[in-house]
């Protein structure tokens, strides 16, 4: 096996193979394993980041090893602070799967769909655990790739009665609404989108707060996905201090989230702690899930390979 060249699996194939109904339970299991901090289950250091100063962006290196599952991979992700109207992508990713025994590369997999779907699936897990069970109104701030994957999974698995979308430009929000067949409402301001919402998803490239605590309904759940640098924000101090804060990785949130670092908010628990039953899901409180994306690019990667080979492939 070590002599075989790597297989290349690209966007359309990943799209064909990944399904939320399979991804969500596998990610729940992986989040739980990670929070046990058992090195035979998952080793995943906080992402190393290389600044791309000239291009106002960063390269993130995200290795994971799951010894018990025999899976070793790293994601390479570039993310940028783009000007309004830029036609360049905000995030680009590739996942490399290695053989842990030989050290050779087994597969190079497009990371766009994995990043979009995995991130949205983990936010959906946070909402499953932390939102009010009768939540009716979803607000999405942002209109890019993550906005679309979050719209797709949240409307697939929860019965929201209303979906509101706000974007940096009115046209962007209207374009987004048309792209999902008109089932959402474009809002003229973030405040209009957020007031009274039960669940709020922030998926912007903003480096300054776009979501303010004074707008947020008590008891709402916020899945905060953007602002993955220690000096970038999506939420203000009021919200960060009022809410109970959960994260995918405690170390990641403390090192990389400007909303956590600059507000001084405490991370109450990881989602994996809630899944493992070691920390409570405080649904009645206002909750923020701070997603850094640290976790489990490996998990979808590992099951794409057998699916690609019609289940008969052995690693
Ligand atoms: N937590 C995680 O696991 C992940 C986080 N991200 C982050 O999520 C965010 C969204 O990612 P994508 O949808 O892939 O990017 P994208 O480039 O497709 O979309 C970004 C959206 O943010 C908007 N935006 C940019 N600057 C803004 C500002 N100052 N105010 C309001 N809106 C603004 C853009 O108009 C666009 O609608 C980025 O910050 C990205 O770094 C992306 C992937 C994974
Ligand atoms: O996990 C991920 O792919 C990213 N997190 C922050 C920017 C990209």
């Amino acid at each position: 096996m070590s002599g075989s060249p790597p297989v290349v699996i690209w966007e359309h194939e990943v799209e064909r193979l990944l399904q939320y109904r399979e991804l969500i339970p596998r990610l729940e299991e992986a989040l739980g394993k990670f929070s046990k901090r058992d090195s035979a289950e998952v080793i995943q250091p906080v992402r190393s980041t290389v600044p791309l100063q000239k291009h106002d962006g960063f390269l993130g290196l995200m290795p994971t090893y799951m010894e018990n599952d025999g899976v070793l991979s790293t994601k390479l992700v570039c993310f940028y602070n783009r000007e309004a109207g830029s036609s360049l992508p905000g995030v680009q990713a590739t996942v490399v799967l290695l053989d842990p025994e030989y050290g050779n590369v087994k597969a190079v997999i497009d990371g766009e769909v994995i990043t979009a779907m995995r991130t949205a699936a983990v936010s959906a897990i946070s909402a499953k655990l932390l939102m009010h069970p009768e939540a009716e109104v979803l607000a999405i701030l942002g209109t890019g790739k993550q906005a679309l994957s979050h719209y797709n999974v949240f409307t697939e698995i929860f019965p929201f009665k209303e979906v509101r979308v706000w974007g940096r430009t009115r046209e962007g929000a209207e374009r987004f609404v048309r792209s999902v067949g008109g089932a959402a409402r474009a809002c003229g301001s973030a405040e209009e989108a957020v007031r009274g919402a039960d669940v709020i998803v922030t998926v912007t490239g903003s480096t300054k707060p776009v979501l303010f605590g004074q707008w947020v309904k008590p008891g709402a759940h916020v899945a905060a996905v953007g602002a993955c640098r220690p000096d970038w924000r999506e939420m203000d101090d009021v919200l960060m201090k009022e809410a109970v804060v959960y994260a995918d990785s405690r170390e990641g949130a403390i090192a990389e989230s400007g909303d956590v670092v600059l507000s001084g908010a405490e991370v109450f628990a990881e989602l994996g702690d809630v899944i493992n039953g070691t920390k409570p899901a405080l649904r009645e409180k206002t909750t923020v899930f701070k997603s850094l994306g640290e976790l489990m690019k490996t998990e979808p990667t590992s099951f794409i390979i057998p699916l690609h080979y019609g289940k008969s492939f052995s690693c």
Side-chain angles (χ1 to χ4, degrees):
M1 189 52 65
S2 66
S4 316
V7 56
V8 175
I9 304 178
W10 225 240
E11 198 172 341
H12 293 304
E13 178 69 344
V14 182
E15 215 157 42
R16 189 178 73 78
L17 298 174
L18 274 191
Q19 304 289 332
Y20 283 118
R21 65 174 179 277
E22 184 163 12
L23 197 50
I24 287 175
R26 294 186 76 130
L27 286 168
E28 281 168 340
E29 200 185 323
L31 287 158
K33 285 180 182 172
F34 174 72
S35 291
K36 289 184 181 153
R37 298 295 190 277
D38 173 350
S39 61
E41 292 281 18
V42 182
I43 300 177
Q44 180 159 286
V46 174
R47 158 173 57 212
S48 309
T49 311
V50 176
L52 310 173
Q53 210 168 336
K54 182 173 168 191
H55 303 290
D56 209 357
F58 297 88
L59 163 65
L61 306 173
M62 306 172 68
T64 307
Y65 181 36
M66 300 175 83
E67 186 178 274
N68 289 345
D69 295 335
V71 182
L72 174 65
S73 82
T74 189
K75 183 164 115 166
L76 308 171
V77 60
C78 287
F79 54 104
Y80 301 88
N81 182 12
R82 299 287 191 212
E83 298 289 326
S86 166
S87 57
L88 299 173
V91 178
Q92 288 273 304
T94 306
V95 181
V96 176
L97 188 70
L98 298 112
D99 185 312
E101 189 179 358
Y102 289 84
N104 61 304
V105 174
K106 292 196 303 188
V108 178
I109 306 177
D110 172 80
E112 293 301 285
V113 178
I114 292 178
T115 298
M117 290 183 71
R118 184 230 68 105
T119 307
V122 173
S123 296
I125 293 168
S126 84
K128 242 173 87 177
L129 296 170
L130 298 170
M131 76 182 189
H132 192 280
E134 271 136 46
E136 293 189 342
V137 179
L138 169 67
I140 301 177
L141 305 186
T143 58
K145 281 189 197 151
Q146 289 292 337
L148 184 59
S149 58
H150 279 73
Y151 174 88
N152 287 338
V153 68
F154 276 69
T155 55
E156 184 179 319
I157 71 170
F158 303 118
F160 287 111
K161 293 197 173 137
E162 188 184 345
V163 183
R164 306 169 187 166
V165 179
W166 169 79
R168 187 156 49 160
T169 62
R170 179 88 204 190
E171 304 79 69
E174 281 168 0
R175 202 175 322 116
F176 181 93
V177 167
R178 281 197 300 279
S179 78
V180 298
R185 178 162 71 81
C187 294
S189 69
E191 179 176 358
E192 181 192 337
V194 160
R195 286 245 184 228
D198 301 294
V199 177
I200 302 163
V201 172
T202 61
V203 274
T204 73
S206 186
T207 57
K208 301 202 171 57
V210 290
L211 178 61
F212 294 85
Q214 62 177 11
W215 304 339
V216 175
K217 175 170 149 178
H221 174 61
V222 180
V225 172
C228 294
R229 294 293 305 153
D231 56 349
W232 290 6
R233 304 290 301 259
E234 278 192 310
M235 297 170 286
D236 74 343
D237 283 356
V238 173
L239 177 56
M240 289 308 291
K241 287 186 176 152
E242 274 175 13
V244 182
V245 178
Y246 295 76
D248 41 12
S249 154
R250 182 183 289 278
E251 293 87 342
I254 292 168
E256 292 198 305
S257 163
D259 288 317
V260 170
V261 174
L262 300 174
S263 68
E266 188 197 329
V267 177
F268 173 71
E270 292 180 346
L271 289 186
D273 296 324
V274 179
I275 289 165
N276 294 337
T278 55
K279 284 286 178 84
L282 300 174
R283 285 181 189 271
E284 69 290 356
K285 305 251 179 161
T286 304
T287 50
V288 164
F289 163 55
K290 182 54 224 152
S291 165
L292 274 307
E294 296 285 1
L295 217 52
M296 302 310 146
K297 272 33 186 211
T298 295
E299 189 56 26
T301 312
S302 66
F303 73 85
I304 282 171
I305 300 286
L307 286 172
H308 179 73
Y309 284 98
K311 304 262 181 201
S312 62
F313 180 79
S314 126
C315 293

